[in-house]
Amino acid sequence: MMRVFLLSAMVPTLALSQVPEDAMETQRCIWRCQAEHGAGNAAYNDCIAQFCDEGGTGPQASAPPEVPVAPPVKSPFSGPARPQTALTAGPGVLTGVWTFGAHPALGPAAYITTAAGTVGLGCGSGAATVGLRFSNSFAAAGPVTLITDPLLFAASYPRLQGDWSGADSDVCTGAVDELATGALLYVLPAQIDALSADVGGLRVTLSAAGRTADVGTAGDALAAFGGYVVPLTGAHQALGALLQSCPKALQDMQAGCGD
């Protein structure tokens, strides 16, 4: 599991090693006043006057309170968000950004809404910790296969009655990590017949309407069967927020998923 690096306020570092220690201590004192009270207000100015100015009480006599530093936060994902590149417009190429919030059908969820439909993961119930859902508008009939790029996850789902299809699962088998760290999600009108391990990923045998194709990339699958390309922009942040709102789901990931 990776670590999340918290973005904090940066302070100038040029030539700090050349600053005399007494001046450096005064500067640290000013930073503490700023962290405690903000800058440009009366409390900030009083703090500097009382604790940091040479004519005041002085930092050695009584320093302003130390501001606690938040400990590093452990990410539930195996890697950082993948850099997103602009998609070239083409058949089935969709646009949108993943977000976390209350969806009218999915409840609290990480999801993306596109011109073709919505894909999302919501907090599960009972034995299931998450529920993956996608709009039935992605396919007119028959099963739908979701494949991530890089090809680290592939699963087929039968078409259900109503507006949505998908499945409930635990976090470790529900594609949460692959969606959070992947580049793209492909939604294909096809059925997986076989999966096998390949160097750096998977090979998938897909079939639809009497046609069969053995593919090693999601792009090959799209070329063989058509379908949609869904960006994963914002998925890392949205899914992280989802897990934080679902303690049982976060517990699954922090347990290491069997690692």
Side-chain angles (χ1 to χ4, degrees), residues 97-137:
V97 177
W98 286 71
T99 186
F100 172 74
H103 187 275
L106 307 180
Y111 64 94
I112 180 171
T113 298
T114 72
T118 298
V119 181
L121 287 94
C123 296
S125 59
T129 52
V130 293
L132 188 150
R133 299 288 186 269
F134 54 88
S135 303
N136 279 339
S137 54

PDB file of all heavy atoms in Angstrom, residues 97-137:
ATOM      1  N   VAL A  97     -15.852  13.742 -15.262  1.00  0.00           N
ATOM      2  CA  VAL A  97     -14.949  13.663 -14.112  1.00  0.00           C
ATOM      3  C   VAL A  97     -15.665  12.934 -12.985  1.00  0.00           C
ATOM      4  O   VAL A  97     -16.846  13.190 -12.718  1.00  0.00           O
ATOM      5  CB  VAL A  97     -14.522  15.069 -13.638  1.00  0.00           C
ATOM      6  CG1 VAL A  97     -13.647  14.976 -12.389  1.00  0.00           C
ATOM      7  CG2 VAL A  97     -13.780  15.809 -14.753  1.00  0.00           C
ATOM      8  N   TRP A  98     -14.955  12.018 -12.333  1.00  0.00           N
ATOM      9  CA  TRP A  98     -15.523  11.314 -11.179  1.00  0.00           C
ATOM     10  C   TRP A  98     -15.663  12.272 -10.007  1.00  0.00           C
ATOM     11  O   TRP A  98     -14.827  13.153  -9.797  1.00  0.00           O
ATOM     12  CB  TRP A  98     -14.623  10.143 -10.787  1.00  0.00           C
ATOM     13  CG  TRP A  98     -14.706   8.982 -11.720  1.00  0.00           C
ATOM     14  CD1 TRP A  98     -14.228   8.926 -12.991  1.00  0.00           C
ATOM     15  CD2 TRP A  98     -15.310   7.709 -11.461  1.00  0.00           C
ATOM     16  NE1 TRP A  98     -14.501   7.692 -13.544  1.00  0.00           N
ATOM     17  CE2 TRP A  98     -15.158   6.926 -12.630  1.00  0.00           C
ATOM     18  CE3 TRP A  98     -15.952   7.161 -10.357  1.00  0.00           C
ATOM     19  CZ2 TRP A  98     -15.634   5.614 -12.715  1.00  0.00           C
ATOM     20  CZ3 TRP A  98     -16.417   5.857 -10.440  1.00  0.00           C
ATOM     21  CH2 TRP A  98     -16.266   5.101 -11.617  1.00  0.00           C
ATOM     22  N   THR A  99     -16.725  12.072  -9.243  1.00  0.00           N
ATOM     23  CA  THR A  99     -16.966  12.903  -8.073  1.00  0.00           C
ATOM     24  C   THR A  99     -17.543  12.031  -6.962  1.00  0.00           C
ATOM     25  O   THR A  99     -18.026  10.927  -7.213  1.00  0.00           O
ATOM     26  CB  THR A  99     -17.938  14.054  -8.406  1.00  0.00           C
ATOM     27  OG1 THR A  99     -18.039  14.939  -7.281  1.00  0.00           O
ATOM     28  CG2 THR A  99     -19.328  13.516  -8.730  1.00  0.00           C
ATOM     29  N   PHE A 100     -17.475  12.525  -5.738  1.00  0.00           N
ATOM     30  CA  PHE A 100     -18.092  11.836  -4.607  1.00  0.00           C
ATOM     31  C   PHE A 100     -19.220  12.698  -4.083  1.00  0.00           C
ATOM     32  O   PHE A 100     -19.066  13.907  -3.889  1.00  0.00           O
ATOM     33  CB  PHE A 100     -17.093  11.582  -3.478  1.00  0.00           C
ATOM     34  CG  PHE A 100     -17.752  11.053  -2.227  1.00  0.00           C
ATOM     35  CD1 PHE A 100     -18.202   9.757  -2.155  1.00  0.00           C
ATOM     36  CD2 PHE A 100     -17.957  11.883  -1.129  1.00  0.00           C
ATOM     37  CE1 PHE A 100     -18.830   9.269  -1.014  1.00  0.00           C
ATOM     38  CE2 PHE A 100     -18.578  11.418   0.014  1.00  0.00           C
ATOM     39  CZ  PHE A 100     -19.016  10.100   0.070  1.00  0.00           C
ATOM     40  N   GLY A 101     -20.373  12.075  -3.868  1.00  0.00           N
ATOM     41  CA  GLY A 101     -21.509  12.815  -3.332  1.00  0.00           C
ATOM     42  C   GLY A 101     -22.743  11.952  -3.287  1.00  0.00           C
ATOM     43  O   GLY A 101     -22.692  10.744  -3.537  1.00  0.00           O
ATOM     44  N   ALA A 102     -23.854  12.557  -2.959  1.00  0.00           N
ATOM     45  CA  ALA A 102     -25.120  11.844  -2.864  1.00  0.00           C
ATOM     46  C   ALA A 102     -25.746  11.765  -4.255  1.00  0.00           C
ATOM     47  O   ALA A 102     -26.172  12.785  -4.808  1.00  0.00           O
ATOM     48  CB  ALA A 102     -26.053  12.553  -1.891  1.00  0.00           C
ATOM     49  N   HIS A 103     -25.789  10.562  -4.799  1.00  0.00           N
ATOM     50  CA  HIS A 103     -26.402  10.352  -6.107  1.00  0.00           C
ATOM     51  C   HIS A 103     -27.863   9.954  -5.894  1.00  0.00           C
ATOM     52  O   HIS A 103     -28.171   9.180  -4.981  1.00  0.00           O
ATOM     53  CB  HIS A 103     -25.661   9.259  -6.872  1.00  0.00           C
ATOM     54  CG  HIS A 103     -26.120   9.080  -8.283  1.00  0.00           C
ATOM     55  ND1 HIS A 103     -27.194   8.283  -8.620  1.00  0.00           N
ATOM     56  CD2 HIS A 103     -25.658   9.605  -9.445  1.00  0.00           C
ATOM     57  CE1 HIS A 103     -27.364   8.314  -9.932  1.00  0.00           C
ATOM     58  NE2 HIS A 103     -26.457   9.104 -10.457  1.00  0.00           N
ATOM     59  N   PRO A 104     -28.790  10.451  -6.709  1.00  0.00           N
ATOM     60  CA  PRO A 104     -30.208  10.152  -6.475  1.00  0.00           C
ATOM     61  C   PRO A 104     -30.555   8.672  -6.524  1.00  0.00           C
ATOM     62  O   PRO A 104     -31.513   8.255  -5.870  1.00  0.00           O
ATOM     63  CB  PRO A 104     -30.917  10.928  -7.596  1.00  0.00           C
ATOM     64  CG  PRO A 104     -29.867  11.261  -8.592  1.00  0.00           C
ATOM     65  CD  PRO A 104     -28.594  11.372  -7.828  1.00  0.00           C
ATOM     66  N   ALA A 105     -29.817   7.873  -7.259  1.00  0.00           N
ATOM     67  CA  ALA A 105     -30.104   6.435  -7.343  1.00  0.00           C
ATOM     68  C   ALA A 105     -29.115   5.586  -6.560  1.00  0.00           C
ATOM     69  O   ALA A 105     -29.487   4.555  -5.993  1.00  0.00           O
ATOM     70  CB  ALA A 105     -30.107   5.976  -8.804  1.00  0.00           C
ATOM     71  N   LEU A 106     -27.861   6.016  -6.479  1.00  0.00           N
ATOM     72  CA  LEU A 106     -26.813   5.213  -5.850  1.00  0.00           C
ATOM     73  C   LEU A 106     -26.588   5.560  -4.387  1.00  0.00           C
ATOM     74  O   LEU A 106     -25.903   4.821  -3.683  1.00  0.00           O
ATOM     75  CB  LEU A 106     -25.497   5.377  -6.620  1.00  0.00           C
ATOM     76  CG  LEU A 106     -25.546   5.109  -8.123  1.00  0.00           C
ATOM     77  CD1 LEU A 106     -24.169   5.319  -8.734  1.00  0.00           C
ATOM     78  CD2 LEU A 106     -26.058   3.709  -8.401  1.00  0.00           C
ATOM     79  N   GLY A 107     -27.138   6.665  -3.921  1.00  0.00           N
ATOM     80  CA  GLY A 107     -26.857   7.109  -2.560  1.00  0.00           C
ATOM     81  C   GLY A 107     -25.459   7.701  -2.495  1.00  0.00           C
ATOM     82  O   GLY A 107     -24.920   8.174  -3.505  1.00  0.00           O
ATOM     83  N   PRO A 108     -24.811   7.690  -1.315  1.00  0.00           N
ATOM     84  CA  PRO A 108     -23.429   8.172  -1.229  1.00  0.00           C
ATOM     85  C   PRO A 108     -22.547   7.323  -2.136  1.00  0.00           C
ATOM     86  O   PRO A 108     -22.438   6.112  -1.947  1.00  0.00           O
ATOM     87  CB  PRO A 108     -23.068   7.980   0.249  1.00  0.00           C
ATOM     88  CG  PRO A 108     -24.388   7.910   0.957  1.00  0.00           C
ATOM     89  CD  PRO A 108     -25.334   7.254  -0.006  1.00  0.00           C
ATOM     90  N   ALA A 109     -21.907   7.945  -3.110  1.00  0.00           N
ATOM     91  CA  ALA A 109     -21.206   7.166  -4.125  1.00  0.00           C
ATOM     92  C   ALA A 109     -20.096   7.978  -4.767  1.00  0.00           C
ATOM     93  O   ALA A 109     -20.111   9.208  -4.767  1.00  0.00           O
ATOM     94  CB  ALA A 109     -22.189   6.700  -5.200  1.00  0.00           C
ATOM     95  N   ALA A 110     -19.122   7.252  -5.314  1.00  0.00           N
ATOM     96  CA  ALA A 110     -18.139   7.820  -6.228  1.00  0.00           C
ATOM     97  C   ALA A 110     -18.616   7.459  -7.623  1.00  0.00           C
ATOM     98  O   ALA A 110     -18.817   6.281  -7.926  1.00  0.00           O
ATOM     99  CB  ALA A 110     -16.761   7.240  -5.961  1.00  0.00           C
ATOM    100  N   TYR A 111     -18.793   8.453  -8.487  1.00  0.00           N
ATOM    101  CA  TYR A 111     -19.428   8.154  -9.768  1.00  0.00           C
ATOM    102  C   TYR A 111     -19.023   9.178 -10.824  1.00  0.00           C
ATOM    103  O   TYR A 111     -18.503  10.252 -10.524  1.00  0.00           O
ATOM    104  CB  TYR A 111     -20.947   8.142  -9.638  1.00  0.00           C
ATOM    105  CG  TYR A 111     -21.561   9.471  -9.252  1.00  0.00           C
ATOM    106  CD1 TYR A 111     -22.034  10.355 -10.220  1.00  0.00           C
ATOM    107  CD2 TYR A 111     -21.663   9.851  -7.913  1.00  0.00           C
ATOM    108  CE1 TYR A 111     -22.584  11.577  -9.866  1.00  0.00           C
ATOM    109  CE2 TYR A 111     -22.217  11.074  -7.553  1.00  0.00           C
ATOM    110  CZ  TYR A 111     -22.674  11.931  -8.533  1.00  0.00           C
ATOM    111  OH  TYR A 111     -23.208  13.143  -8.186  1.00  0.00           O
ATOM    112  N   ILE A 112     -19.282   8.795 -12.082  1.00  0.00           N
ATOM    113  CA  ILE A 112     -19.082   9.681 -13.216  1.00  0.00           C
ATOM    114  C   ILE A 112     -20.326   9.613 -14.087  1.00  0.00           C
ATOM    115  O   ILE A 112     -20.856   8.532 -14.346  1.00  0.00           O
ATOM    116  CB  ILE A 112     -17.822   9.312 -14.023  1.00  0.00           C
ATOM    117  CG1 ILE A 112     -17.627  10.267 -15.204  1.00  0.00           C
ATOM    118  CG2 ILE A 112     -17.876   7.862 -14.512  1.00  0.00           C
ATOM    119  CD1 ILE A 112     -16.294  10.094 -15.924  1.00  0.00           C
ATOM    120  N   THR A 113     -20.803  10.756 -14.515  1.00  0.00           N
ATOM    121  CA  THR A 113     -21.953  10.832 -15.413  1.00  0.00           C
ATOM    122  C   THR A 113     -21.467  11.299 -16.775  1.00  0.00           C
ATOM    123  O   THR A 113     -20.822  12.353 -16.880  1.00  0.00           O
ATOM    124  CB  THR A 113     -23.017  11.782 -14.866  1.00  0.00           C
ATOM    125  OG1 THR A 113     -23.496  11.276 -13.609  1.00  0.00           O
ATOM    126  CG2 THR A 113     -24.192  11.894 -15.821  1.00  0.00           C
ATOM    127  N   THR A 114     -21.766  10.517 -17.806  1.00  0.00           N
ATOM    128  CA  THR A 114     -21.334  10.814 -19.164  1.00  0.00           C
ATOM    129  C   THR A 114     -22.546  10.924 -20.078  1.00  0.00           C
ATOM    130  O   THR A 114     -23.683  10.685 -19.655  1.00  0.00           O
ATOM    131  CB  THR A 114     -20.405   9.716 -19.691  1.00  0.00           C
ATOM    132  OG1 THR A 114     -21.179   8.533 -19.946  1.00  0.00           O
ATOM    133  CG2 THR A 114     -19.305   9.386 -18.684  1.00  0.00           C
ATOM    134  N   ALA A 115     -22.287  11.216 -21.343  1.00  0.00           N
ATOM    135  CA  ALA A 115     -23.371  11.311 -22.318  1.00  0.00           C
ATOM    136  C   ALA A 115     -24.050   9.967 -22.538  1.00  0.00           C
ATOM    137  O   ALA A 115     -25.222   9.914 -22.942  1.00  0.00           O
ATOM    138  CB  ALA A 115     -22.833  11.846 -23.642  1.00  0.00           C
ATOM    139  N   ALA A 116     -23.342   8.862 -22.263  1.00  0.00           N
ATOM    140  CA  ALA A 116     -23.910   7.528 -22.485  1.00  0.00           C
ATOM    141  C   ALA A 116     -24.540   6.944 -21.227  1.00  0.00           C
ATOM    142  O   ALA A 116     -25.310   5.988 -21.312  1.00  0.00           O
ATOM    143  CB  ALA A 116     -22.841   6.576 -23.000  1.00  0.00           C
ATOM    144  N   GLY A 117     -24.218   7.474 -20.062  1.00  0.00           N
ATOM    145  CA  GLY A 117     -24.751   6.934 -18.818  1.00  0.00           C
ATOM    146  C   GLY A 117     -23.801   7.164 -17.661  1.00  0.00           C
ATOM    147  O   GLY A 117     -22.791   7.876 -17.791  1.00  0.00           O
ATOM    148  N   THR A 118     -24.108   6.553 -16.533  1.00  0.00           N
ATOM    149  CA  THR A 118     -23.352   6.731 -15.291  1.00  0.00           C
ATOM    150  C   THR A 118     -22.725   5.418 -14.854  1.00  0.00           C
ATOM    151  O   THR A 118     -23.336   4.361 -14.974  1.00  0.00           O
ATOM    152  CB  THR A 118     -24.270   7.256 -14.177  1.00  0.00           C
ATOM    153  OG1 THR A 118     -24.782   8.539 -14.555  1.00  0.00           O
ATOM    154  CG2 THR A 118     -23.548   7.369 -12.847  1.00  0.00           C
ATOM    155  N   VAL A 119     -21.502   5.512 -14.352  1.00  0.00           N
ATOM    156  CA  VAL A 119     -20.829   4.399 -13.685  1.00  0.00           C
ATOM    157  C   VAL A 119     -20.490   4.861 -12.280  1.00  0.00           C
ATOM    158  O   VAL A 119     -20.019   5.991 -12.094  1.00  0.00           O
ATOM    159  CB  VAL A 119     -19.542   3.975 -14.409  1.00  0.00           C
ATOM    160  CG1 VAL A 119     -18.880   2.797 -13.684  1.00  0.00           C
ATOM    161  CG2 VAL A 119     -19.822   3.609 -15.855  1.00  0.00           C
ATOM    162  N   GLY A 120     -20.735   4.033 -11.272  1.00  0.00           N
ATOM    163  CA  GLY A 120     -20.442   4.457  -9.915  1.00  0.00           C
ATOM    164  C   GLY A 120     -20.316   3.308  -8.949  1.00  0.00           C
ATOM    165  O   GLY A 120     -20.708   2.172  -9.250  1.00  0.00           O
ATOM    166  N   LEU A 121     -19.738   3.603  -7.805  1.00  0.00           N
ATOM    167  CA  LEU A 121     -19.662   2.666  -6.692  1.00  0.00           C
ATOM    168  C   LEU A 121     -20.249   3.346  -5.474  1.00  0.00           C
ATOM    169  O   LEU A 121     -19.866   4.466  -5.130  1.00  0.00           O
ATOM    170  CB  LEU A 121     -18.223   2.239  -6.395  1.00  0.00           C
ATOM    171  CG  LEU A 121     -17.586   1.285  -7.396  1.00  0.00           C
ATOM    172  CD1 LEU A 121     -16.803   2.065  -8.431  1.00  0.00           C
ATOM    173  CD2 LEU A 121     -16.680   0.278  -6.701  1.00  0.00           C
ATOM    174  N   GLY A 122     -21.176   2.648  -4.823  1.00  0.00           N
ATOM    175  CA  GLY A 122     -21.794   3.171  -3.621  1.00  0.00           C
ATOM    176  C   GLY A 122     -21.506   2.288  -2.425  1.00  0.00           C
ATOM    177  O   GLY A 122     -21.018   1.165  -2.563  1.00  0.00           O
ATOM    178  N   CYS A 123     -21.795   2.802  -1.241  1.00  0.00           N
ATOM    179  CA  CYS A 123     -21.636   1.998  -0.023  1.00  0.00           C
ATOM    180  C   CYS A 123     -22.615   0.837  -0.067  1.00  0.00           C
ATOM    181  O   CYS A 123     -23.807   1.019  -0.351  1.00  0.00           O
ATOM    182  CB  CYS A 123     -21.906   2.849   1.213  1.00  0.00           C
ATOM    183  SG  CYS A 123     -20.742   4.203   1.444  1.00  0.00           S
ATOM    184  N   GLY A 124     -22.121  -0.358   0.219  1.00  0.00           N
ATOM    185  CA  GLY A 124     -22.978  -1.532   0.212  1.00  0.00           C
ATOM    186  C   GLY A 124     -23.709  -1.698   1.527  1.00  0.00           C
ATOM    187  O   GLY A 124     -23.654  -0.857   2.420  1.00  0.00           O
ATOM    188  N   SER A 125     -24.387  -2.809   1.650  1.00  0.00           N
ATOM    189  CA  SER A 125     -25.110  -3.127   2.876  1.00  0.00           C
ATOM    190  C   SER A 125     -24.969  -4.619   3.144  1.00  0.00           C
ATOM    191  O   SER A 125     -24.699  -5.413   2.238  1.00  0.00           O
ATOM    192  CB  SER A 125     -26.592  -2.756   2.751  1.00  0.00           C
ATOM    193  OG  SER A 125     -27.191  -3.457   1.678  1.00  0.00           O
ATOM    194  N   GLY A 126     -25.141  -5.000   4.395  1.00  0.00           N
ATOM    195  CA  GLY A 126     -25.021  -6.407   4.748  1.00  0.00           C
ATOM    196  C   GLY A 126     -23.606  -6.901   4.542  1.00  0.00           C
ATOM    197  O   GLY A 126     -22.631  -6.259   4.930  1.00  0.00           O
ATOM    198  N   ALA A 127     -23.457  -8.059   3.879  1.00  0.00           N
ATOM    199  CA  ALA A 127     -22.135  -8.633   3.643  1.00  0.00           C
ATOM    200  C   ALA A 127     -21.357  -7.842   2.603  1.00  0.00           C
ATOM    201  O   ALA A 127     -20.126  -7.867   2.587  1.00  0.00           O
ATOM    202  CB  ALA A 127     -22.273 -10.088   3.188  1.00  0.00           C
ATOM    203  N   ALA A 128     -22.056  -7.154   1.714  1.00  0.00           N
ATOM    204  CA  ALA A 128     -21.391  -6.372   0.671  1.00  0.00           C
ATOM    205  C   ALA A 128     -20.940  -5.037   1.235  1.00  0.00           C
ATOM    206  O   ALA A 128     -21.672  -4.375   1.955  1.00  0.00           O
ATOM    207  CB  ALA A 128     -22.335  -6.151  -0.499  1.00  0.00           C
ATOM    208  N   THR A 129     -19.709  -4.651   0.897  1.00  0.00           N
ATOM    209  CA  THR A 129     -19.204  -3.367   1.373  1.00  0.00           C
ATOM    210  C   THR A 129     -19.314  -2.279   0.316  1.00  0.00           C
ATOM    211  O   THR A 129     -19.359  -1.099   0.640  1.00  0.00           O
ATOM    212  CB  THR A 129     -17.747  -3.490   1.835  1.00  0.00           C
ATOM    213  OG1 THR A 129     -16.980  -4.110   0.789  1.00  0.00           O
ATOM    214  CG2 THR A 129     -17.653  -4.346   3.079  1.00  0.00           C
ATOM    215  N   VAL A 130     -19.332  -2.645  -0.960  1.00  0.00           N
ATOM    216  CA  VAL A 130     -19.533  -1.675  -2.031  1.00  0.00           C
ATOM    217  C   VAL A 130     -20.450  -2.279  -3.084  1.00  0.00           C
ATOM    218  O   VAL A 130     -20.563  -3.500  -3.210  1.00  0.00           O
ATOM    219  CB  VAL A 130     -18.203  -1.246  -2.703  1.00  0.00           C
ATOM    220  CG1 VAL A 130     -17.336  -0.450  -1.750  1.00  0.00           C
ATOM    221  CG2 VAL A 130     -17.464  -2.449  -3.259  1.00  0.00           C
ATOM    222  N   GLY A 131     -21.090  -1.413  -3.824  1.00  0.00           N
ATOM    223  CA  GLY A 131     -21.915  -1.855  -4.932  1.00  0.00           C
ATOM    224  C   GLY A 131     -21.529  -1.114  -6.196  1.00  0.00           C
ATOM    225  O   GLY A 131     -21.581   0.112  -6.237  1.00  0.00           O
ATOM    226  N   LEU A 132     -21.086  -1.861  -7.222  1.00  0.00           N
ATOM    227  CA  LEU A 132     -20.741  -1.259  -8.498  1.00  0.00           C
ATOM    228  C   LEU A 132     -21.982  -1.228  -9.367  1.00  0.00           C
ATOM    229  O   LEU A 132     -22.663  -2.247  -9.524  1.00  0.00           O
ATOM    230  CB  LEU A 132     -19.621  -2.047  -9.183  1.00  0.00           C
ATOM    231  CG  LEU A 132     -19.029  -1.434 -10.450  1.00  0.00           C
ATOM    232  CD1 LEU A 132     -17.581  -1.837 -10.605  1.00  0.00           C
ATOM    233  CD2 LEU A 132     -19.808  -1.835 -11.701  1.00  0.00           C
ATOM    234  N   ARG A 133     -22.300  -0.064  -9.941  1.00  0.00           N
ATOM    235  CA  ARG A 133     -23.491   0.079 -10.754  1.00  0.00           C
ATOM    236  C   ARG A 133     -23.143   0.849 -12.033  1.00  0.00           C
ATOM    237  O   ARG A 133     -22.283   1.733 -12.026  1.00  0.00           O
ATOM    238  CB  ARG A 133     -24.587   0.847 -10.002  1.00  0.00           C
ATOM    239  CG  ARG A 133     -25.057   0.166  -8.730  1.00  0.00           C
ATOM    240  CD  ARG A 133     -25.884  -1.071  -9.026  1.00  0.00           C
ATOM    241  NE  ARG A 133     -26.446  -1.624  -7.811  1.00  0.00           N
ATOM    242  CZ  ARG A 133     -25.853  -2.556  -7.073  1.00  0.00           C
ATOM    243  NH1 ARG A 133     -24.645  -3.012  -7.430  1.00  0.00           N
ATOM    244  NH2 ARG A 133     -26.442  -3.022  -5.992  1.00  0.00           N
ATOM    245  N   PHE A 134     -23.828   0.494 -13.132  1.00  0.00           N
ATOM    246  CA  PHE A 134     -23.708   1.255 -14.367  1.00  0.00           C
ATOM    247  C   PHE A 134     -25.065   1.290 -15.046  1.00  0.00           C
ATOM    248  O   PHE A 134     -25.892   0.388 -14.899  1.00  0.00           O
ATOM    249  CB  PHE A 134     -22.651   0.653 -15.302  1.00  0.00           C
ATOM    250  CG  PHE A 134     -22.834  -0.801 -15.609  1.00  0.00           C
ATOM    251  CD1 PHE A 134     -23.616  -1.223 -16.677  1.00  0.00           C
ATOM    252  CD2 PHE A 134     -22.218  -1.768 -14.819  1.00  0.00           C
ATOM    253  CE1 PHE A 134     -23.786  -2.572 -16.953  1.00  0.00           C
ATOM    254  CE2 PHE A 134     -22.375  -3.115 -15.089  1.00  0.00           C
ATOM    255  CZ  PHE A 134     -23.167  -3.527 -16.166  1.00  0.00           C
ATOM    256  N   SER A 135     -25.297   2.367 -15.793  1.00  0.00           N
ATOM    257  CA  SER A 135     -26.578   2.554 -16.456  1.00  0.00           C
ATOM    258  C   SER A 135     -26.778   1.505 -17.544  1.00  0.00           C
ATOM    259  O   SER A 135     -25.847   1.181 -18.300  1.00  0.00           O
ATOM    260  CB  SER A 135     -26.646   3.937 -17.099  1.00  0.00           C
ATOM    261  OG  SER A 135     -26.421   4.958 -16.158  1.00  0.00           O
ATOM    262  N   ASN A 136     -27.990   0.996 -17.645  1.00  0.00           N
ATOM    263  CA  ASN A 136     -28.289   0.040 -18.712  1.00  0.00           C
ATOM    264  C   ASN A 136     -28.252   0.683 -20.092  1.00  0.00           C
ATOM    265  O   ASN A 136     -28.264  -0.024 -21.111  1.00  0.00           O
ATOM    266  CB  ASN A 136     -29.649  -0.607 -18.474  1.00  0.00           C
ATOM    267  CG  ASN A 136     -29.573  -1.744 -17.469  1.00  0.00           C
ATOM    268  OD1 ASN A 136     -28.500  -2.311 -17.245  1.00  0.00           O
ATOM    269  ND2 ASN A 136     -30.698  -2.069 -16.853  1.00  0.00           N
ATOM    270  N   SER A 137     -28.176   1.994 -20.142  1.00  0.00           N
ATOM    271  CA  SER A 137     -28.059   2.678 -21.431  1.00  0.00           C
ATOM    272  C   SER A 137     -26.724   2.399 -22.120  1.00  0.00           C
ATOM    273  O   SER A 137     -26.571   2.682 -23.318  1.00  0.00           O
ATOM    274  CB  SER A 137     -28.221   4.189 -21.239  1.00  0.00           C
ATOM    275  OG  SER A 137     -27.320   4.681 -20.261  1.00  0.00           O
TER     276      SER A 137
END
